[in-house]
């Protein structure tokens, strides 16, 4: 995976030069493309001066085979099926008309210290590779922690049996069904088409939404009851962090989220989410977990605070202003 990251970086810094020879796999060609289905030209499939990498299978696999050996000025026609995901005509037989305008050779930079200096803030390729490895490891550990957190909560809830108020379940189910409608509207699709793209029918989605709603309501009731017993600490900084988290998730400024919360009067709901998250923290802390990174590794990855540093910060005197 580190090698893949480095290859992606090399691609971004590749030099491309026009050459007077036939195209080979890995070359870039500038081409014009027209597509016909049933004798009718597809306007949305017509492109001019498109830069295409031979071997990328970005149109149909047969195009790559046809381009190998072609030179600037060549025109050719071939028949193939459109990709299944192509709108309206997916999987249908089509005729492709191609004009090659030029052939360009791509030269990748060597993976050496010069590349590291030009492509990053590091002086050596070893330092760059080590940083990529650390970033990938951190990302994987974060993903694993998130998955572990869900498994622990699921195991905890399985030990508890509580009656679920039908009104709460119905309201949560309705919210989940409405969310699909909002998503479809954002994508300019119908709810049925959006569900079909996910491999679901309307009936399957309704059943799935009801199941998820029951789980969500149960989690809320159990966590709220547990929170009254353990009384997790709540500081103003927790609210600020929650607002920032919502802002990042929705791609807006934190001030905008704060304004919406104030206008809608949803601060109690926000605080409820924070308390439940802290209650889950307590459940996770109480669980017996085998394996995983050590505390030292988590501190090294920046995923856990170093207690010695925190202690030093607490001992630092503050100046009176």
């Amino acid at each position: 995976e580190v090698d893949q990251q480095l290859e992606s970086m090399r691609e971004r810094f590749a030099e491309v030069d026009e050459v007077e020879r036939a195209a080979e796999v890995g070359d870039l060609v500038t081409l014009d493309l027209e597509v016909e289905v049933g004798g009718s030209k597809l306007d949305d499939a017509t492109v001019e001066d498109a830069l295409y990498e031979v071997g990328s299978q970005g149109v149909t696999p047969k195009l790559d085979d046809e381009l190998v050996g072609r030179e600037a000025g060549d025109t050719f026609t071939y028949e193939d099926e459109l990709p299944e995901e192509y709108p309206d005509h997916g999987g249908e037989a089509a005729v492709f008309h191609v004009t090659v305008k030029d052939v360009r050779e791509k030269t990748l930079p060597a993976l050496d210290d010069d590349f590291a200096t030009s492509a990053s803030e590091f002086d050596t390729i070893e330092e760059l590779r080590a940083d990529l490895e650390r970033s990938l490891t951190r990302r994987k550990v974060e993903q694993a922690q998130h998955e572990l957190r869900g498994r622990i909560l699921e195991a905890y809830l399985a030990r508890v049996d509580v009656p679920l108020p039908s009104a709460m379940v119905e309201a949560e189910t309705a919210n989940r069904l409405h969310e699909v409608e909002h998503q479809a509207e954002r994508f300019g699709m119908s709810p049925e088409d959006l569900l079909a793209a996910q491999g679901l029918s309307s009936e399957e989605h309704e059943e799935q939404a009801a199941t998820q709603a029951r789980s969500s309501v149960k989690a809320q009731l159990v966590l709220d009851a547990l929170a009254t017993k353990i009384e997790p600490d709540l500081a103003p900084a927790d609210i600020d962090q929650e607002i920032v988290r919502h802002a990042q998730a929705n791609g807006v400024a934190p001030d905008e989220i704060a304004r919406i919360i104030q206008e809608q009067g949803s601060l109690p709901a926000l605080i409820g989410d924070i308390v439940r998250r802290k209650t889950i923290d307590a459940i996770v802390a109480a669980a017996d977990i085998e394996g995983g990174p050590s505390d030292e590794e988590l501190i090294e990855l920046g995923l856990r605070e170093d207690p010695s540093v925190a202690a030093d910060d607490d001992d630092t005197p503050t100046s009176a202003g």
Side-chain angles (χ1 to χ4, degrees), residues 168-319:
M168 291 184 67
V169 174
E170 291 171 2
E172 180 64 22
T173 302
N175 287 336
R176 293 176 180 272
L177 294 176
H178 290 156
E179 179 58 29
V180 169
E181 296 177 0
H182 296 323
Q183 289 179 353
E185 185 177 349
R186 288 197 296 269
F187 289 118
M189 305 171 63
S190 68
E192 292 76 17
D193 289 340
L194 180 60
L195 292 174
Q198 300 172 358
L200 292 172
S201 65
S202 297
E203 293 76 14
E204 290 171 332
H205 173 62
E206 290 175 4
E207 182 178 348
Q208 185 183 82
T211 299
Q212 293 172 341
R214 287 190 292 270
S215 298
S216 178
V217 169
K218 179 179 181 179
Q220 178 179 336
L221 293 174
V222 172
L223 291 173
D224 287 349
L226 181 59
T228 61
K229 293 185 177 182
I230 65 176
E231 297 181 346
D233 294 332
L234 181 64
D238 294 322
I239 297 177
D240 294 339
Q241 291 175 0
E242 187 71 4
I243 290 175
V244 170
R245 191 180 71 83
H246 280 279
Q248 292 174 341
N250 292 279
V252 299
D255 289 345
E256 178 66 12
I257 296 295
R259 183 188 64 79
I260 294 173
I261 291 172
Q262 184 176 12
E263 289 182 353
Q264 297 180 349
S266 54
L267 182 59
L270 185 77
I271 292 175
D273 290 340
I274 298 171
V275 170
R276 292 186 195 104
R277 187 171 293 109
K278 285 179 170 287
T279 303
I280 297 175
D281 291 340
I283 296 173
V284 172
D288 293 328
I289 304 171
E290 296 180 358
S294 65
D295 290 344
E296 291 77 13
E297 290 171 317
L298 291 175
I299 292 172
E300 173 65 25
L301 291 171
L303 296 176
R304 177 166 297 177
E305 187 177 3
D306 189 339
S308 62
V309 174
D312 291 341
D313 291 340
D314 292 338
D315 294 338
T316 302
T318 58
S319 59

Side-chain angles (χ1 to χ4, degrees), residues 74-86:
D74 286 353
T75 61
F76 61 93
T77 298
Y78 73 95
E79 297 181 3
D80 202 353
E81 292 182 354
L82 286 167
E84 290 292 339
E85 63 273 14
Y86 191 87

Side-chain angles (χ1 to χ4, degrees), residues 40-92:
S40 299
K41 177 182 174 182
L42 300 183
D43 290 335
D44 57 350
T46 299
V47 295
E48 294 182 356
D49 296 327
L51 196 60
Y52 181 82
E53 181 174 352
V54 181
S56 64
Q57 298 188 2
V59 179
T60 70
K62 194 171 182 180
L63 174 60
D64 298 280
D65 295 335
E66 293 285 348
L67 282 172
V68 173
R70 303 287 184 175
E71 299 181 1
D74 286 353
T75 61
F76 61 93
T77 298
Y78 73 95
E79 297 181 3
D80 202 353
E81 292 182 354
L82 286 167
E84 290 292 339
E85 63 273 14
Y86 191 87
D88 299 329
H89 299 284
E92 294 184 19

